[in-house]
Amino acid sequence: MLKLGSVYYGFKLIEEKEIKEIQSTARIFIHEKTQAKLLHLENTDDNKVFSIGFRTPPSDSTGVPHIIEHCVLSGSKKYTTKEPFMDMVKGSLQTFLNAMTFSDKTLYPVASRNEKDFLNLMDVYLDAVFYPKIYEIPEIFMQEGWHHEIFDEEEKIRYKGVVYNEMQGAYSSPERILGENIGKSLYPDTCYQYSSGGNPDIIPKLSYEAFLDFHRKFYHPSNSYIYLYGNGNIEKQLKHIDENYLYNFDKAEIHSTIGIQKPFSSKNEIIDYYPISNEENDENRSYLSLNFVLGENTDPEIYLMTSILSQLLVESEAAPLKKALLDEGIGEDVFPITSGGLQPSFGIVAKNTSINKKEQFEKVIFETLNNLVKNGIDRKLIEACINIVEYDLREASKFPTKGIVYNMVSLDSWLYDGDPLVHLQFDKTLNKLKSNMDTCYFENFIKEKIIGNPHSSLVIIEPKKGLGEEKHRIIEEKLNEYKKSLSPEEIKELIEENNKLKEMQVADDSEEAKATIPKLSIADVEPKAQVIPQKIIKEDKLTILSHNIFTSKIAYVDFYFDISMVEEKLIPYINLLIGLLGKIDTNKRPYSQLANEIYIHTGGIDFDVTCYDQKNSDELYHPKLIVKGKAIGDNITKMMELISELITQSKIEDKKRIKELFQQMKSRIEMTMFDAGHSVAASRVSSYFSPSKKYMERLKGLDFYWFLSDILETFDSNSEEILSNLNKVYNMVFSADNLILSFTGDENDFSLVKANLPIVIDKLNILDFQPIKYGFAEERLNEGILSSANVQYVSKGYNFRRLGFNYNGSMRVLSTILSRDYLHNKIRAQGGAYGAGILLDRTGHIVTFSYRDPNLDRTIQVYDKMADYIDSLNIDEEELTTYIIGTMSQLDPATTPHMKGQIATNRYISKITQEDIQKTRDEVLATKLEDIKAFIPLIDKAMKEDYLCVLGNENMIKDNEKLFNKLVQLKK
């Protein structure tokens, strides 16, 4: 029992409080010698979290906070390998291991269930942030940040660096450019005007000296925010942090206070541009965003109202602002954009519109808001939106390592000298907002914070053909001028610097350096696979899977409908259909009322479509449409009624509404395309040789995106046929045949679900169908997908079962070795890409991928030499054990209760037994070097099949046209 006011290993306990919302005891400490701040959340969660964060306000857009975040993890005083971070990824049982740069802070969080591993991770991170090798080894800055690359006097100079290329990829997204400009427009006198991640046009202005100065200034205990979460031994943890790190420092005056932006007297307006390819249409491709600063994040009401307002006005299907803007034809998609930081903002974005509509855009917004204030907001809408936000808070945003979420929530006040517990104790604020539903609170909030608020901005982002080429030309000219300015001796020096960097990159860590990395042993690993409780009940055509798992009283109910009866040409209509359900009228009520009913009584009803490969095959697969609902207690009955209404009484007839929803669907796919570019390329290449992946491409991959684009092109003339096909699919897929119900929750709620099942089941079709056998043929398309992206996503793959090989758990270890070592070193460290990896699964797929990659042909060559690397691999038993342990962390990821139920259901559908899971685990743990070497022919033959797909920069792909069978435009 800790006592208030007492000092524990240099940390004085200044506050202790029970936080029932997150079932934790919170303790706030201050380290007396350095004034370091520490928050401890004690609870029964064995998934322990440690984090250290620093206030790091940038003073320019060189990306120095982001580059430091990368660099400090590349070797430290105690851990002397090139990349202790990657060494821990390779050989730790971590459930979370990352670092993050925000607009005003940098965070280093780790999590593990294993006590020894947790303390190891904590020590590696503390040593990294306080004693990095960046001061002795400038090549770390060159590799991770940026440098001038040249290896021969005749060569052109190029910019190279991991962060530089990462941000080239980030700035391929117009939404990223929009977000940056909103910061500039609302906070022109604060750190929020800058890009903390780094603007690739400005990153090369960062000098090595300025980089070191930033670390010296901000990476001190007096500027730190330390966080501990879970069931660990707090005194042991405090002792370690003090004796090994903080005790070595004294208090320092760190000038890191985040400045307040003074309110504006009038709206600010900014215009900027984003690149599109020369073949893309630039008509109605503009973004309009009207933004408002709402107050300060330390105020718990402002904090929650930012989220509630987004739902209330824009995000909900009943949101009046979205409806008004779409009804006026302003934009094909309307969505909210919010920013955190000291002064949160709320913005309304119209996407795919025209700059000529900016006056109308503002007029419609203010007219709609004034009407809401005058006539009042629908109380059911307010109740529904509060409920959405409440579920998100109680489920920790559905993130499996909850402690990470609570850390970020605490910092949303703590970083600004507010109470770190105020946003974790959300019940009081929620109850106040609920009690104000029948007053004018929400109308007055809108009147004060939006209508009457001059601290606002209008940001316009316009498409510009040739902008990418123009920027590329400017960079080339600048680098040519720079080279001309150098003397022959200076060019030789530059070449020498690059050679020194290359030597560092290709050199193996010494045995002495490797010995500094803390290691676990096989004895630290649980040999038995976790058993997820699953009771299987067969009732006529229905299979019920019940998972009795603690879920904090939330009942998760998922219906898995067999959709294997849908003919091939209608496959993409299944995904179109689920994008409509819950957003169109039913026979009972209009969609706006339906949305309110869903969120007042449930935590949401969602739809998904996917395909489950049968164990050991990609030719036998089970396509499913999944209806997911969640509710608490007596609301289960209402949830079942609403699910039934959605799947049996939806009216697919309102052409205007359906076209709006299709446009929104296309917009949202485009918004995530470059962030998930590696997945897009890997899925596409898999579809060339895998029937199940070809099905998925039709269902929700690039084939679906292009299908949706074509449908929108011809919607007005073909709407009757489109609606007819949608209705045909709707009347087909919700069949009782082969239906699976998956339940996750407690026994009482299961009884309630079972009693209410007839509400859904009795109204379903019974088709007695035979699954269709689709004629998906293997086809080496080898596409280069042309886009305005500044980087590439390169993928090769094949199915090793077709080459005569069988799946073995040791393949998981092979994947860890290749991903964490060979591909990481060749494609990221030496090649400058943000990331790379390889996947091998029990269906036989072997697929490589790179992420935000400046290269193309070079990366393909790296893939083709994987077999040679394994052939020359020479590691001892200790090093192999490290890879085995790192693989085990992938077999035991952190999961939410609902995720556990979903995993068990997925295995049931794929016919994967507990014995199969245990066999894979046993094979991983028993892996020997000869097992890894036995995969050399597999890798060699798979890569020689030469199935390739690249999504990337139009000019880069055209320069390498000989590698492809076909070049296609991403956006047609």
Side-chain angles (χ1 to χ4, degrees):
M1 189 70 183
L2 302 183
K3 289 181 182 172
L4 271 179
S6 294
V7 178
Y8 300 89
Y9 304 100
F11 287 93
K12 186 175 184 179
L13 178 59
I14 57 173
E15 189 177 345
E16 182 173 286
K17 197 178 275 188
E18 291 298 317
I19 305 189
K20 66 180 191 317
E21 290 88 341
I22 59 169
Q23 288 107 39
S24 299
T25 301
R27 298 187 183 97
I28 300 171
F29 294 88
I30 196 88
H31 188 255
E32 291 192 312
K33 189 166 185 279
T34 64
Q35 296 299 291
K37 296 162 280 293
L38 188 144
L39 171 62
H40 174 225
L41 296 179
E42 184 181 3
N43 47 56
T44 57
D45 194 345
D46 69 343
N47 192 13
K48 294 171 279 296
V49 176
F50 160 79
S51 166
I52 182 161
F54 301 90
R55 217 158 41 184
T56 51
S59 54
D60 55 38
S61 292
T62 58
V64 60
H66 186 190
I67 293 170
I68 284 177
E69 174 232 300
H70 278 239
C71 290
V72 298
L73 298 171
S74 298
S76 63
K77 185 167 81 175
K78 193 170 173 183
Y79 303 107
T80 59
T81 59
K82 287 189 292 185
E83 292 190 83
F85 173 79
M86 284 309 297
D87 293 325
M88 296 310 288
V89 169
K90 285 177 203 170
S92 158
L93 292 171
Q94 51 85 19
T95 53
F96 190 91
L97 182 63
N98 212 333
M100 304 133 170
T101 304
F102 296 82
S103 57
D104 52 14
K105 62 180 175 282
T106 310
L107 209 55
Y108 297 85
V110 299
S112 180
R113 294 191 189 92
N114 181 285
E115 174 74 12
K116 180 178 166 186
D117 189 41
F118 177 73
L119 291 170
N120 288 344
L121 290 165
M122 182 166 85
D123 199 64
V124 168
Y125 264 36
L126 284 164
D127 207 62
V129 297
F130 291 128
Y131 303 115
K133 278 161 60 174
I134 56 174
Y135 294 92
E136 303 100 71
I137 307 175
E139 288 80 15
I140 295 171
F141 169 72
M142 291 170 66
Q143 174 181 293
E144 295 297 320
W146 79 276
H147 65 280
H148 291 113
E149 184 182 74
I150 182 170
F151 290 102
D152 185 278
E153 289 166 28
E154 302 304 313
E155 270 183 4
K156 286 183 174 180
I157 293 177
R158 297 168 296 277
Y159 286 135
K160 194 81 171 283
V162 172
V163 168
Y164 178 77
N165 289 315
E166 178 189 348
M167 299 315 293
Q168 285 277 21
Y171 276 74
S172 299
S173 157
E175 286 79 22
R176 175 72 185 223
I177 295 164
L178 172 65
E180 297 285 353
N181 279 283
I182 289 171
K184 281 184 202 170
S185 70
L186 291 176
Y187 315 104
D189 305 317
T190 76
C191 65
Y192 302 113
Q193 67 177 299
Y194 302 115
S195 167
S196 61
N199 182 325
D201 296 341
I202 298 170
I203 288 172
K205 292 181 179 175
L206 178 64
S207 70
Y208 178 55
E209 291 71 28
F211 158 80
L212 294 178
D213 285 344
F214 195 93
H215 183 270
R216 281 189 201 101
K217 181 175 180 181
F218 294 119
Y219 278 63
H220 189 281
S222 302
N223 188 43
S224 69
Y225 297 80
I226 302 169
Y227 171 84
L228 292 160
Y229 166 93
N231 67 353
N233 181 330
I234 182 61
E235 291 194 58
K236 184 178 176 183
Q237 292 164 353
L238 294 177
K239 182 174 192 265
H240 185 89
I241 294 167
D242 175 61
E243 289 183 358
N244 292 283
Y245 294 96
L246 301 196
Y247 185 77
N248 303 323
F249 293 85
D250 294 312
K251 184 189 170 188
E253 287 298 323
I254 312 287
H255 301 290
S256 66
T257 305
I258 312 291
I260 285 262
Q261 176 61 53
K262 287 179 185 170
F264 298 169
S265 55
S266 62
K267 183 178 81 238
N268 195 3
E269 188 170 315
I270 279 188
I271 184 165
D272 200 0
Y273 301 89
Y274 72 94
I276 59 170
S277 71
N278 290 320
E279 275 73 24
E280 285 181 66
N281 178 15
D282 59 0
E283 198 178 325
N284 289 324
R285 294 283 301 279
S286 302
Y287 289 69
L288 300 174
S289 182
L290 190 59
N291 317 286
F292 303 86
V293 173
L294 298 180
E296 291 189 31
N297 245 341
T298 48
D299 181 332
E301 284 180 42
I302 296 284
Y303 186 72
L304 288 191
M305 279 300 291
T306 308
S307 302
I308 291 168
L309 214 56
S310 295
Q311 292 291 339
L312 191 70
L313 296 178
V314 189
E315 195 63 31
S316 161
E317 293 309 320
L321 266 187
K322 177 161 71 175
K323 186 175 188 308
L325 287 165
L326 291 174
D327 284 349
E328 286 291 320
I330 302 170
E332 294 180 355
D333 190 8
V334 175
F335 55 88
I337 189 162
T338 59
S339 70
L342 173 55
Q343 295 165 281
S345 71
F346 163 72
I348 306 107
V349 181
K351 178 184 171 186
N352 292 345
T353 184
S354 164
I355 191 170
N356 301 329
K357 293 184 176 177
K358 70 173 188 175
E359 284 84 10
Q360 193 188 359
F361 173 65
E362 289 191 70
K363 181 169 174 272
V364 169
I365 288 171
F366 285 113
E367 278 181 0
T368 306
L369 294 175
N370 277 310
N371 282 335
L372 289 174
V373 170
K374 182 181 173 187
N375 302 319
I377 304 165
D378 179 357
R379 266 43 208 160
K380 284 201 162 187
L381 174 59
I382 296 173
E383 186 182 353
C385 293
I386 291 174
N387 206 28
I388 290 169
V389 172
E390 182 171 359
Y391 261 94
D392 190 60
L393 290 166
R394 297 202 187 284
E395 292 184 293
S397 302
K398 294 187 274 197
F399 192 71
T401 304
K402 291 189 293 188
I404 304 282
V405 176
Y406 300 149
N407 181 20
M408 293 184 189
V409 169
S410 69
L411 282 163
D412 284 337
S413 175
W414 196 18
L415 196 78
Y416 315 113
D417 305 318
D419 178 1
L421 308 179
V422 67
H423 301 320
L424 295 170
Q425 297 172 289
F426 49 77
D427 275 348
K428 184 182 172 187
T429 312
L430 271 177
N431 291 334
K432 183 179 177 185
L433 294 174
K434 286 176 185 176
S435 68
N436 279 322
M437 279 198 305
D438 294 322
T439 70
C440 294
Y441 177 91
F442 293 87
E443 288 81 359
N444 289 338
F445 190 94
I446 289 167
K447 189 176 177 182
E448 179 194 340
K449 303 292 183 185
I450 301 181
I451 297 170
N453 183 3
H455 195 165
S456 62
S457 71
L458 177 68
V459 175
I460 302 155
I461 306 294
E462 287 271 84
K464 192 172 181 182
K465 290 186 179 187
L467 179 61
E469 290 85 348
E470 187 186 326
K471 285 197 169 192
H472 183 70
R473 183 179 50 76
I474 290 167
I475 288 169
E476 286 232 316
E477 285 174 5
K478 193 174 177 182
L479 289 170
N480 287 341
E481 287 301 313
Y482 173 68
K483 189 179 179 187
K484 282 180 193 169
S485 75
L486 298 175
S487 67
E489 288 73 27
E490 286 171 325
I491 290 175
K492 279 180 183 168
E493 275 178 35
L494 193 54
I495 291 169
E496 188 51 43
E497 282 175 17
N498 276 277
N499 284 329
K500 200 174 169 193
L501 169 61
K502 195 171 185 180
E503 282 167 23
M504 182 194 88
Q505 290 171 333
V506 299
D508 289 330
D509 285 314
S510 69
E511 291 306 314
E512 188 182 27
K514 286 180 189 175
T516 66
I517 299 298
K519 293 179 176 67
L520 300 176
S521 68
I522 293 292
D524 294 310
V525 178
E526 172 53 58
K528 289 277 174 262
Q530 183 191 19
V531 178
I532 300 171
Q534 179 166 264
K535 190 158 68 174
I536 302 167
I537 303 163
K538 297 272 191 181
E539 292 188 356
D540 194 23
K541 297 188 175 214
L542 174 69
T543 301
I544 300 172
L545 306 175
S546 173
H547 313 100
N548 185 6
I549 297 169
F550 177 74
T551 59
S552 303
K553 297 194 164 56
I554 300 173
Y556 295 94
V557 180
D558 302 337
F559 290 92
Y560 289 73
F561 290 93
D562 186 341
I563 51 174
S564 59
M565 83 295 279
V566 178
E567 60 188 284
E568 188 176 330
K569 71 168 190 176
L570 294 178
I571 290 170
Y573 280 94
I574 306 167
N575 203 10
L576 288 181
L577 174 69
I578 67 165
L580 302 179
L581 298 179
K583 300 169 185 175
I584 53 175
D585 298 348
T586 66
N587 293 327
K588 280 192 169 184
R589 59 194 120 217
Y591 68 85
S592 56
Q593 287 181 20
L594 178 65
N596 290 343
E597 285 296 302
I598 287 170
Y599 285 107
I600 286 169
H601 298 287
T602 79
I605 298 169
D606 300 312
F607 295 83
D608 193 13
V609 280
T610 195
C611 187
Y612 298 96
D613 289 318
Q614 190 154 315
K615 181 175 69 175
N616 304 337
S617 171
D618 65 351
E619 294 179 359
L620 283 171
Y621 52 93
H622 308 282
K624 301 287 179 186
L625 188 162
I626 311 157
V627 185
K628 307 175 191 177
K630 59 187 172 194
I632 296 170
D634 294 340
N635 276 322
I636 288 170
T637 307
K638 185 69 178 174
M639 177 181 71
M640 296 299 235
E641 290 168 359
L642 286 163
I643 287 173
S644 178
E645 182 179 340
L646 289 169
I647 65 178
T648 64
Q649 298 193 57
S650 289
K651 291 159 70 176
I652 304 170
E653 58 187 30
D654 183 343
K655 292 176 187 176
K656 177 180 175 294
R657 177 65 179 159
I658 288 169
K659 187 179 180 184
E660 278 175 9
L661 290 168
F662 285 175
Q663 286 172 334
Q664 180 180 306
M665 207 182 295
K666 178 171 178 273
S667 160
R668 302 297 164 98
I669 293 169
E670 289 168 350
M671 281 160 68
T672 59
M673 196 85 80
F674 290 136
D675 280 344
H678 60 310
S679 298
V680 172
S683 298
R684 187 72 183 169
V685 83
S686 301
S687 75
Y688 301 163
F689 55 78
S690 164
S692 66
K693 294 300 182 187
K694 175 68 88 174
Y695 185 98
M696 285 300 291
E697 271 293 292
R698 299 280 171 89
L699 192 64
K700 58 203 304 193
L702 276 181
D703 278 341
F704 174 76
Y705 170 67
W706 289 327
F707 170 83
L708 175 56
S709 302
D710 291 343
I711 275 222
L712 282 166
E713 280 287 311
T714 61
F715 187 88
D716 295 338
S717 56
N718 280 355
S719 58
E720 293 299 331
E721 184 191 346
I722 293 164
L723 264 59
S724 168
N725 285 335
L726 282 166
N727 275 295
K728 190 174 176 182
V729 170
Y730 180 63
N731 292 323
M732 202 188 297
V733 292
F734 295 112
S735 160
D737 303 78
N738 301 334
L739 178 61
I740 296 170
L741 167 72
S742 173
F743 169 84
T744 307
D746 65 31
E747 286 294 339
N748 291 338
D749 284 341
F750 178 60
S751 301
L752 196 50
V753 166
K754 213 157 170 289
N756 283 284
L757 260 181
I759 294 171
V760 176
I761 304 294
D762 290 355
K763 292 182 180 167
L764 297 176
N765 302 323
I766 296 175
L767 300 178
D768 285 326
F769 62 87
Q770 286 298 311
I772 289 178
K773 285 190 166 53
Y774 304 105
F776 296 138
E778 195 171 305
E779 196 176 6
R780 192 183 279 103
L781 290 177
N782 287 23
E783 295 157 305
I785 300 163
L786 309 168
S787 77
S788 58
N790 301 318
V791 287
Q792 282 62 248
Y793 306 88
V794 183
S795 187
K796 282 191 80 173
Y798 196 59
N799 188 300
F800 58 75
R801 287 186 181 277
R802 307 226 216 301
L803 300 171
F805 300 96
N806 292 316
Y807 177 75
N808 181 284
S810 295
M811 288 179 178
R812 300 295 295 258
V813 184
L814 172 70
S815 172
T816 302
I817 293 169
L818 286 171
S819 296
R820 305 298 190 210
D821 195 50
Y822 175 72
L823 295 173
H824 174 84
N825 289 336
K826 294 288 184 187
I827 294 175
R828 181 184 161 122
Q830 295 168 37
Y834 186 53
I838 185 169
L839 301 170
L840 294 98
D841 65 28
R842 65 172 70 243
T843 59
H845 299 143
I846 171 171
V847 183
T848 61
F849 58 88
S850 70
Y851 186 65
R852 291 182 178 168
D853 188 348
N855 305 302
L856 198 164
D857 188 28
R858 184 185 188 280
T859 298
I860 294 167
Q861 289 174 34
V862 170
Y863 295 154
D864 290 343
K865 290 174 183 168
M866 288 189 297
D868 293 342
Y869 166 76
I870 295 297
D871 192 26
S872 62
L873 188 68
N874 183 19
I875 52 175
D876 60 21
E877 193 173 335
E878 186 180 85
E879 206 167 341
L880 182 60
T881 299
T882 296
Y883 288 120
I884 289 169
I885 289 166
T887 304
M888 294 306 289
S889 77
Q890 297 161 45
L891 297 183
D892 294 326
T895 49
T896 63
H898 184 213
M899 283 165 72
K900 284 190 175 76
Q902 290 175 308
I903 290 165
T905 304
N906 298 354
R907 288 173 182 169
Y908 174 84
I909 296 168
S910 296
K911 299 183 168 44
I912 296 169
T913 64
Q914 189 65 29
E915 289 72 31
D916 294 323
I917 299 298
Q918 187 61 52
K919 182 172 181 281
T920 295
R921 198 178 186 90
D922 293 342
E923 287 167 348
V924 167
L925 289 169
T927 298
K928 299 281 183 264
L929 183 58
E930 52 264 33
D931 299 321
I932 300 298
K933 299 265 186 184
F935 297 129
I936 293 168
L938 181 158
I939 302 165
D940 185 49
K941 287 181 180 178
M943 290 301 106
K944 280 179 177 164
E945 287 293 322
D946 199 34
Y947 281 75
L948 166 74
C949 178
V950 178
L951 165 63
N953 178 266
E954 182 171 9
N955 295 323
M956 174 70 98
I957 289 174
K958 284 179 177 174
D959 287 346
N960 290 273
E961 190 170 356
K962 65 182 187 303
L963 296 170
F964 303 100
N965 293 340
K966 193 177 179 185
L967 302 187
V968 290
Q969 285 289 336
L970 175 63
K971 294 182 179 176
K972 297 181 175 178

